[in-house]
Amino acid sequence: MSSLISLTCLKCRQELPKTTRLLRCPQCQGLLDPQYDLERVRSVLTWETVARRPRSIWRWRELLPIEDERCVISLGEGGTPLVPSVRVGPAFGLRHLYILNDGMNPTGSLKDRSMAVVASKAVELGYRVITCDSSGNKAASLSAYAARAGLTSLMFCPSTTPPQKLLQIVAYGGRLVIIDTDRDGVARLYAELMQRRSAEWYDSGVSNPFRYEGKKTYAYEIAEALGACAPDWILHPAAGSMSVVKTWKGFGELERLGLVHTKPRLGAVQPENCAPIVAAYRKGARTVSPVEYLPTMAGGLSMPNPGDLGDLTLQAIRESDGAAVAVTEDEIVWGMRALWEEGIFSEPTGAVTIPALRGLMEQGIIQRGDTVVCIVTGTGFKDLHSLEQEVCVPRPVPAKLSALDEATQALLA
Ligand SMILES: Cc1ncc(COP(=O)(O)O)c(C=O)c1O
C-alpha cells in the first residue's frame, strides 16, 4: 500500500516519525511534508500498473499516506476528465488547451481529492470527530467523507458562504457552525479554538500535513492523460494554494521515479480583490504578507492571509518558473461564460484560470504552441446565486402551440 516513511518539516527539515499525531513541527511550527520510499515505489509503480487500476486518486496509493488499506474512505474521487478545449483554445490560437473539470468530483469540487485522504487518515489514527474551517467546499467534502466513514464532522464557515454549499454540508449530516464574519475571521477563530481542542478532534484545516497529499494526484493524472508527459503550463485557482505546491511535489516524484522527463510551469490565480500571493510575487518577495481585501465572487479564494502556505506557493512558482496572476471580477464572469460555452458548468471560483490564461497569452508568457491545462475546481451548482446574476431564465409561456411558435421564433431570431 503506502510507501510513507516519515514527515519532514518544510522549514527546518527536522524529520518526524510517520506515526506522529503532530500537525506542525514541534521546533519551528513549520508545515510537515510526508516522505515516501521512492526506491520501493519505483519497483512497483509503472504506467502499465496504474492503467490497470480503477480510476480514482487511490490508483496512486503507494504515493499517498494511508498505510492500512481497510481505512481508505473513497467515493471515487479524482480521475476527473481532462477535456480538450473547443472554444477558448481556438479563440486564443492555442492548439493544446485542456480543461481539467474537477467539478466532476463526488461532492462537486477539488476538495474531494484531499478530504478523502484526511478522512481516511482520521480513521487510521482512530479519531471519532473530524473538523475544519472552510469557505464551503472543503466542509461539504468533509461532511460527505465523514458520513461515509461513520465519523462525526464539525465545520466552521463564514456567513458569506453560498447557501448551496451550506445545504450540502448539512445534508450529509455534518454539524455546522456558521460564524457571523468573513472567511478570514473564521480562520482566526478556528485556529484559536483548535489550540484548545486539538487532542480530541482531528483538525483537517490548513495545517494538516496528510490531507494536501491528495492534491499531488493532479500531477499524476495530468501526466498520465498526456501520455507520460508534463504540459508546459498548469493554471490553478489559489487561496492558500497547496494545490500548486503539491502539484509541483507530484511532478518531482514522477521525475524521480523516471515516469516523466519534464515538469510544467505553474500558475496560481487569485481575484484582484484578494490577491496576497500575487502581491508578493509582483514585489519579488519570498514571503506573503496579509493584504487589504474586498469581497469577491470567487469566494473560495477569499484568503487575505495565507501565511506559510502562501510562502510555499511562491516557492513552487519560482522553482517552476511559473507566475501568479490576478483577475478582476468582470474577468471572472467572462471566464465563467467562456467555460459554459465549452459545456463546462463552473462556479466563479473555478473559472479564474481562463482569464488568467488570456492575460498570460497577451503578455507573451504563454505561447500559442504551448500545451496548457486550466484546472476548473468547482461545479456551478455550488453557487447558484452568483450565476443567477449572470443568466436570465425565460418566463413560462401559455400551454398552446401558437405560444410555442411565438417563443421559438423570438429565441431563434
Ligand atoms: C472551488 C475552489 N477552488 C479553489 C480553491 C482554493 O484551493 P487551495 O486552498 O488549494 O488554494 C477553493 C477553496 O476553497 C475552492 O473552493
Side-chain angles (χ1 to χ4, degrees):
M1 184 75 196
S2 175
S3 294
L4 180 69
I5 43 176
S6 62
L7 287 99
T8 303
C9 171
L10 286 171
K11 226 188 215 166
C12 72
R13 309 309 301 176
Q14 191 195 341
E15 203 154 324
L16 275 85
K18 62 182 179 181
T19 48
T20 185
R21 286 180 178 237
L22 293 174
L23 297 183
R24 283 187 176 255
C25 173
Q27 305 284 347
C28 70
Q29 288 303 300
L31 274 178
L32 300 175
D33 193 44
Q35 305 297 318
Y36 301 84
D37 178 353
L38 291 186
E39 277 315 305
R40 203 200 127 233
V41 178
R42 187 189 271 275
S43 64
V44 285
L45 206 68
T46 62
W47 288 119
E48 291 73 31
T49 324
V50 165
R52 283 197 293 272
R53 296 177 175 173
R55 289 192 76 80
S56 87
I57 62 166
W58 303 102
R59 247 182 173 186
W60 305 93
R61 52 187 177 250
E62 288 84 357
L63 296 166
L64 294 174
I66 306 305
E67 298 197 87
D68 183 345
E69 202 161 338
R70 291 166 305 174
C71 297
V72 168
I73 306 299
S74 178
L75 291 163
E77 52 289 334
T80 51
L82 190 66
V83 185
S85 168
V86 290
R87 301 265 177 279
V88 177
F92 294 171
L94 190 60
R95 281 193 292 283
H96 305 292
L97 172 62
Y98 298 90
I99 297 162
L100 185 76
N101 187 2
D102 234 24
M104 298 278 286
N105 270 305
T107 76
S109 88
L110 80 162
K111 300 290 174 182
D112 296 343
R113 290 180 186 270
S114 45
M115 300 328 268
V117 174
V118 81
S120 303
K121 199 63 178 179
V123 171
E124 197 174 63
L125 293 174
Y127 282 94
R128 299 300 315 150
V129 180
I130 186 163
T131 65
C132 76
D133 60 331
S134 170
S135 61
N137 282 336
K138 195 199 307 173
S141 181
L142 184 61
S143 187
Y145 285 93
R148 187 87 186 163
L151 300 175
T152 300
S153 59
L154 179 58
M155 269 78 66
F156 301 85
C157 291
S159 43
T160 48
T161 309
Q164 288 77 24
K165 297 184 186 180
L166 298 174
L167 279 171
Q168 202 183 4
I169 296 165
V170 178
Y172 292 128
R175 320 282 163 92
L176 172 65
V177 182
I178 303 173
I179 311 178
D180 201 3
T181 179
D182 60 11
R183 176 71 186 91
D184 192 37
V186 170
R188 276 187 274 118
L189 276 166
Y190 179 75
E192 274 181 48
L193 181 69
M194 287 314 291
Q195 277 180 358
R196 294 198 270 131
R197 305 302 293 267
S198 58
E200 307 147 62
W201 301 340
Y202 194 47
D203 178 5
S204 49
V206 292
S207 296
N208 191 293
F210 294 113
R211 101 166 149 98
Y212 297 123
E213 287 294 281
K215 300 190 173 194
K216 294 189 305 183
T217 55
Y218 278 134
Y220 313 151
E221 288 182 12
I222 291 170
E224 187 190 7
L226 296 181
C229 285
D232 296 296
W233 278 90
I234 297 177
L235 305 183
H236 199 289
S241 204
M242 288 304 278
S243 301
V244 167
V245 175
K246 293 289 177 166
T247 301
W248 188 237
K249 179 180 179 188
F251 272 104
E253 289 172 341
L254 291 180
E255 195 179 46
R256 287 176 61 195
L257 292 168
L259 294 174
V260 295
H261 301 294
T262 58
K263 294 194 280 184
R265 299 171 76 181
L266 299 180
V269 187
Q270 301 199 290
E272 193 79 62
N273 281 0
C274 184
I277 296 173
V278 180
Y281 171 79
R282 284 179 183 155
K283 278 193 273 182
R286 297 223 159 208
T287 54
V288 176
S289 306
V291 289
E292 296 288 322
Y293 63 104
L294 294 168
T296 169
M297 67 191 304
L301 307 182
S302 189
M303 193 185 268
N305 183 15
D308 53 0
L309 308 189
D311 304 345
L312 292 168
T313 304
L314 276 183
Q315 190 183 331
I317 292 171
R318 219 175 28 245
E319 286 175 8
S320 75
D321 191 24
V325 183
V327 294
T328 64
E329 297 298 293
D330 283 349
E331 286 175 318
I332 296 172
V333 172
W334 174 82
M336 210 162 48
R337 289 185 175 282
L339 285 169
W340 297 346
E341 285 174 20
E342 296 259 9
I344 293 175
F345 194 44
S346 171
E347 65 165 301
T349 303
V352 297
T353 51
I354 302 299
L357 167 65
R358 181 171 66 177
L360 288 168
M361 288 200 72
E362 280 166 5
Q363 292 170 59
I365 298 173
I366 293 184
Q367 314 266 321
R368 289 176 165 211
D370 285 346
T371 299
V372 181
V373 174
C374 284
I375 303 188
V376 171
T377 48
T379 169
F381 293 113
K382 292 282 203 164
D383 189 359
L384 293 174
H385 178 66
S386 296
L387 273 53
E388 272 161 18
Q389 332 245 320
E390 304 307 327
V391 292
C392 185
V393 178
R395 290 173 180 281
V397 298
K400 26 180 212 187
L401 268 182
S402 60
L404 267 62
D405 274 339
E406 204 180 307
T408 49
Q409 267 165 27
L411 285 171
L412 298 176

